[in-house]
Amino acid sequence: MALDLGTLVTAVELVQKIIALYQRIDSLPQQMTQLGRRMERLNIFLVRLESFVKKNNTKQPALAPGPLFSGQVEDLGKLLEGIKGNAAKVYDLFDRYEKGILSRSMNIEFRAKWMSQVWFSLVDSSPDKVQAIMEEIDYERGILSDYLGLMAIDKAHEESPGPSSPRSGRKAEKTGGNASGAVMKRPSPSPSRSPAPPRRSCKILFVDPYNEGRSVAAEALVKLLGQLTLKGHGDWRIADVCSAGFFAKNKGDCVDVIDGLDYSRRTFKLPWKPGAQSPSRMAMAAVFDNKWSDYPFKQDIRAEMTARTSCGMRKDMFTRFDFIFVFALREHDNMVKLREAVRKRVEAEGRVLARGKGRVLQLGAYLSRRKGAVREILNPPVTKDGKKNRENWNWKVSEIKTALKAFLKREMDWEQPNDKGTAMGKKTLEVGKA
């Protein structure tokens, strides 16, 4: 499915009709207020994408600056179709509420205002259904934000909705009623913060071609950050962290699927490594041979990481993990193609991939950007005689660690503990424990 400008325009127009309805209704149940705020935030990202596509006079962002490959364009097209479908459901909710219709299918209406208290417990509008829609919108907005970064769209648009957003004439402050009849103030939307609470019990996966270097280093660093956070009595929300290799056969069950992918470029398909590969000793030395996080748990994690062997891709990774991190544009395109191929196979078996899982991200999106571009975290360069260089790996691990900390702060509301690994740092943590 290609990215169609008509689908984008339709989605933008529908979302803005929802916002106009939301702003027109004087009282709303609490869940409807939350839903309206989500649509305002979604509108900001959609308007930025629409403006970018129209400015570049193309229906295919792959032809514009900050190119997307074919798998990414198809994935973005499916995303916009999903947004349009959910927007239609949300518009129906607000339209029925304004007109006093409990259910279109059963032709049930309410006329008295007090009936709004039971509106969400009847027929088409249960709290569970509305919550499911909100979670899908949060998920879709997150992926849309990822693609705006990949396309290098100017981040300045994020600070204001722009002239296309239907905000003119809005009251400075409105009130709304929740399901119990209590009156609440409706806060103005803040595009800088997500309306959803930070994820808890989150599972993340790091993937590079062979699961020997960058992916293993990232997994080790997250485990170290987790132990350091817990030692400092911080809030740690990562329940599981793993790594895998896209072209590693060991323990994988996607070999035939990966072989059958329609790669955007021939060079994107790499040779397979069939055996059980050990982590790069240079990468592990760059992670562990230093004074950072120098506590007993560091040696335990080192023993665990150096004893592991490479793991290939498995179909359940897209339902097991919340975030799947890659390190380069090529790897991102390959991964979204694999996710789509797995989805088709799963659906052919009468099953469905869970929504809200398997969000594919480039880790470099969390590094400082120049003109909005996402930085690739590539393999460290080798020396002139083809040997690996420890200094280059030190720099690469530092880059990965910086990106991981930014991810944790942005997505998990993580607060960095004292991580100096010095005697002073240990003393500070022991005082905190006491």
Side-chain angles (χ1 to χ4, degrees), residues 4 18 35 57 129 166 177 203 229 238 240 255 261 267 332 348:
D4 178 64
I18 295 167
L35 188 54
N57 193 29
K129 289 182 180 180
K203 298 180 180 181
T229 302
I238 307 296
D240 191 17
V255 174
L261 293 179
T267 55
H332 186 279

PDB file of all heavy atoms in Angstrom, residues 4 18 35 57 129 166 177 203 229 238 240 255 261 267 332 348:
ATOM      1  N   ASP A   4      -0.935   7.551   0.053  1.00  0.00           N
ATOM      2  CA  ASP A   4      -1.799   8.333  -0.825  1.00  0.00           C
ATOM      3  C   ASP A   4      -2.102   9.675  -0.177  1.00  0.00           C
ATOM      4  O   ASP A   4      -2.518   9.742   0.984  1.00  0.00           O
ATOM      5  CB  ASP A   4      -3.093   7.557  -1.081  1.00  0.00           C
ATOM      6  CG  ASP A   4      -4.056   8.334  -1.959  1.00  0.00           C
ATOM      7  OD1 ASP A   4      -3.712   8.594  -3.120  1.00  0.00           O
ATOM      8  OD2 ASP A   4      -5.135   8.677  -1.451  1.00  0.00           O
ATOM      9  N   ILE A  18     -13.469  16.417  14.272  1.00  0.00           N
ATOM     10  CA  ILE A  18     -13.615  15.907  15.648  1.00  0.00           C
ATOM     11  C   ILE A  18     -13.264  16.986  16.657  1.00  0.00           C
ATOM     12  O   ILE A  18     -13.971  17.198  17.649  1.00  0.00           O
ATOM     13  CB  ILE A  18     -12.722  14.669  15.852  1.00  0.00           C
ATOM     14  CG1 ILE A  18     -13.194  13.515  14.976  1.00  0.00           C
ATOM     15  CG2 ILE A  18     -12.707  14.257  17.327  1.00  0.00           C
ATOM     16  CD1 ILE A  18     -12.207  12.373  14.886  1.00  0.00           C
ATOM     17  N   LEU A  35     -10.192  11.778  25.236  1.00  0.00           N
ATOM     18  CA  LEU A  35     -10.178  11.415  23.820  1.00  0.00           C
ATOM     19  C   LEU A  35     -10.023  12.656  22.943  1.00  0.00           C
ATOM     20  O   LEU A  35      -9.265  12.660  21.968  1.00  0.00           O
ATOM     21  CB  LEU A  35     -11.468  10.669  23.475  1.00  0.00           C
ATOM     22  CG  LEU A  35     -11.588  10.032  22.092  1.00  0.00           C
ATOM     23  CD1 LEU A  35     -10.418   9.100  21.818  1.00  0.00           C
ATOM     24  CD2 LEU A  35     -12.915   9.287  21.983  1.00  0.00           C
ATOM     25  N   ASN A  57       5.284  18.735  -3.048  1.00  0.00           N
ATOM     26  CA  ASN A  57       4.510  18.444  -4.257  1.00  0.00           C
ATOM     27  C   ASN A  57       4.648  16.987  -4.687  1.00  0.00           C
ATOM     28  O   ASN A  57       4.945  16.676  -5.835  1.00  0.00           O
ATOM     29  CB  ASN A  57       4.940  19.358  -5.411  1.00  0.00           C
ATOM     30  CG  ASN A  57       3.953  19.302  -6.569  1.00  0.00           C
ATOM     31  OD1 ASN A  57       2.765  19.065  -6.344  1.00  0.00           O
ATOM     32  ND2 ASN A  57       4.436  19.512  -7.789  1.00  0.00           N
ATOM     33  N   LYS A 129     -14.298   0.006  25.363  1.00  0.00           N
ATOM     34  CA  LYS A 129     -14.193   0.286  23.930  1.00  0.00           C
ATOM     35  C   LYS A 129     -13.501   1.616  23.685  1.00  0.00           C
ATOM     36  O   LYS A 129     -12.650   1.739  22.803  1.00  0.00           O
ATOM     37  CB  LYS A 129     -15.581   0.288  23.289  1.00  0.00           C
ATOM     38  CG  LYS A 129     -16.223  -1.087  23.186  1.00  0.00           C
ATOM     39  CD  LYS A 129     -17.582  -1.010  22.505  1.00  0.00           C
ATOM     40  CE  LYS A 129     -18.219  -2.396  22.398  1.00  0.00           C
ATOM     41  NZ  LYS A 129     -19.549  -2.340  21.747  1.00  0.00           N
ATOM     42  N   PRO A 166      -8.160  23.835  14.021  1.00  0.00           N
ATOM     43  CA  PRO A 166      -9.374  24.581  14.339  1.00  0.00           C
ATOM     44  C   PRO A 166      -9.407  25.020  15.784  1.00  0.00           C
ATOM     45  O   PRO A 166     -10.086  24.447  16.614  1.00  0.00           O
ATOM     46  CB  PRO A 166     -10.481  23.563  14.046  1.00  0.00           C
ATOM     47  CG  PRO A 166      -9.856  22.252  14.345  1.00  0.00           C
ATOM     48  CD  PRO A 166      -8.420  22.398  13.942  1.00  0.00           C
ATOM     49  N   GLY A 177     -18.268  17.346  32.408  1.00  0.00           N
ATOM     50  CA  GLY A 177     -18.725  16.473  33.467  1.00  0.00           C
ATOM     51  C   GLY A 177     -18.175  15.081  33.287  1.00  0.00           C
ATOM     52  O   GLY A 177     -18.138  14.582  32.175  1.00  0.00           O
ATOM     53  N   LYS A 203       8.784  -4.082  27.586  1.00  0.00           N
ATOM     54  CA  LYS A 203       9.752  -5.043  27.062  1.00  0.00           C
ATOM     55  C   LYS A 203      10.369  -4.484  25.784  1.00  0.00           C
ATOM     56  O   LYS A 203       9.644  -4.029  24.897  1.00  0.00           O
ATOM     57  CB  LYS A 203       9.077  -6.387  26.792  1.00  0.00           C
ATOM     58  CG  LYS A 203       8.499  -7.029  28.048  1.00  0.00           C
ATOM     59  CD  LYS A 203       7.833  -8.357  27.752  1.00  0.00           C
ATOM     60  CE  LYS A 203       7.261  -8.985  29.026  1.00  0.00           C
ATOM     61  NZ  LYS A 203       6.619 -10.290  28.765  1.00  0.00           N
ATOM     62  N   THR A 229      19.730   1.997  38.637  1.00  0.00           N
ATOM     63  CA  THR A 229      18.513   2.714  39.040  1.00  0.00           C
ATOM     64  C   THR A 229      17.898   2.088  40.282  1.00  0.00           C
ATOM     65  O   THR A 229      17.521   2.792  41.229  1.00  0.00           O
ATOM     66  CB  THR A 229      17.491   2.711  37.889  1.00  0.00           C
ATOM     67  OG1 THR A 229      18.071   3.317  36.728  1.00  0.00           O
ATOM     68  CG2 THR A 229      16.231   3.478  38.278  1.00  0.00           C
ATOM     69  N   ILE A 238      11.401  -1.174  32.973  1.00  0.00           N
ATOM     70  CA  ILE A 238      11.712  -2.169  31.949  1.00  0.00           C
ATOM     71  C   ILE A 238      11.604  -3.558  32.566  1.00  0.00           C
ATOM     72  O   ILE A 238      12.357  -3.905  33.475  1.00  0.00           O
ATOM     73  CB  ILE A 238      13.125  -1.963  31.367  1.00  0.00           C
ATOM     74  CG1 ILE A 238      13.312  -0.523  30.888  1.00  0.00           C
ATOM     75  CG2 ILE A 238      13.387  -2.962  30.246  1.00  0.00           C
ATOM     76  CD1 ILE A 238      12.420  -0.132  29.750  1.00  0.00           C
ATOM     77  N   ASP A 240      11.739  -6.482  30.685  1.00  0.00           N
ATOM     78  CA  ASP A 240      12.546  -7.461  29.962  1.00  0.00           C
ATOM     79  C   ASP A 240      13.311  -6.744  28.853  1.00  0.00           C
ATOM     80  O   ASP A 240      12.778  -5.835  28.205  1.00  0.00           O
ATOM     81  CB  ASP A 240      11.639  -8.544  29.361  1.00  0.00           C
ATOM     82  CG  ASP A 240      12.413  -9.735  28.812  1.00  0.00           C
ATOM     83  OD1 ASP A 240      13.599  -9.882  29.172  1.00  0.00           O
ATOM     84  OD2 ASP A 240      11.840 -10.511  28.023  1.00  0.00           O
ATOM     85  N   VAL A 255      13.609 -17.560   9.094  1.00  0.00           N
ATOM     86  CA  VAL A 255      14.586 -17.607   8.008  1.00  0.00           C
ATOM     87  C   VAL A 255      13.911 -17.575   6.648  1.00  0.00           C
ATOM     88  O   VAL A 255      14.295 -16.807   5.756  1.00  0.00           O
ATOM     89  CB  VAL A 255      15.479 -18.863   8.133  1.00  0.00           C
ATOM     90  CG1 VAL A 255      16.389 -18.988   6.915  1.00  0.00           C
ATOM     91  CG2 VAL A 255      16.319 -18.791   9.408  1.00  0.00           C
ATOM     92  N   LEU A 261      11.617 -11.776   1.587  1.00  0.00           N
ATOM     93  CA  LEU A 261      11.265 -10.354   1.591  1.00  0.00           C
ATOM     94  C   LEU A 261      11.637  -9.682   0.275  1.00  0.00           C
ATOM     95  O   LEU A 261      12.635 -10.021  -0.359  1.00  0.00           O
ATOM     96  CB  LEU A 261      11.966  -9.632   2.751  1.00  0.00           C
ATOM     97  CG  LEU A 261      11.544 -10.008   4.174  1.00  0.00           C
ATOM     98  CD1 LEU A 261      12.365  -9.209   5.191  1.00  0.00           C
ATOM     99  CD2 LEU A 261      10.048  -9.780   4.391  1.00  0.00           C
ATOM    100  N   THR A 267      21.382  -4.505  -1.692  1.00  0.00           N
ATOM    101  CA  THR A 267      22.410  -4.476  -0.649  1.00  0.00           C
ATOM    102  C   THR A 267      21.834  -4.607   0.758  1.00  0.00           C
ATOM    103  O   THR A 267      22.580  -4.803   1.715  1.00  0.00           O
ATOM    104  CB  THR A 267      23.214  -3.168  -0.731  1.00  0.00           C
ATOM    105  OG1 THR A 267      22.308  -2.054  -0.666  1.00  0.00           O
ATOM    106  CG2 THR A 267      24.003  -3.087  -2.029  1.00  0.00           C
ATOM    107  N   HIS A 332      15.813  -0.480   9.697  1.00  0.00           N
ATOM    108  CA  HIS A 332      14.427  -0.105   9.977  1.00  0.00           C
ATOM    109  C   HIS A 332      13.514  -0.561   8.848  1.00  0.00           C
ATOM    110  O   HIS A 332      12.440  -1.135   9.069  1.00  0.00           O
ATOM    111  CB  HIS A 332      14.329   1.414  10.161  1.00  0.00           C
ATOM    112  CG  HIS A 332      12.970   1.891  10.595  1.00  0.00           C
ATOM    113  ND1 HIS A 332      11.933   2.073   9.709  1.00  0.00           N
ATOM    114  CD2 HIS A 332      12.482   2.226  11.826  1.00  0.00           C
ATOM    115  CE1 HIS A 332      10.861   2.499  10.368  1.00  0.00           C
ATOM    116  NE2 HIS A 332      11.172   2.591  11.650  1.00  0.00           N
ATOM    117  N   ALA A 348      -3.225 -15.315   8.038  1.00  0.00           N
ATOM    118  CA  ALA A 348      -3.588 -16.485   7.232  1.00  0.00           C
ATOM    119  C   ALA A 348      -3.906 -17.688   8.120  1.00  0.00           C
ATOM    120  O   ALA A 348      -4.650 -18.589   7.714  1.00  0.00           O
ATOM    121  CB  ALA A 348      -2.461 -16.823   6.262  1.00  0.00           C
TER     122      ALA A 348
END
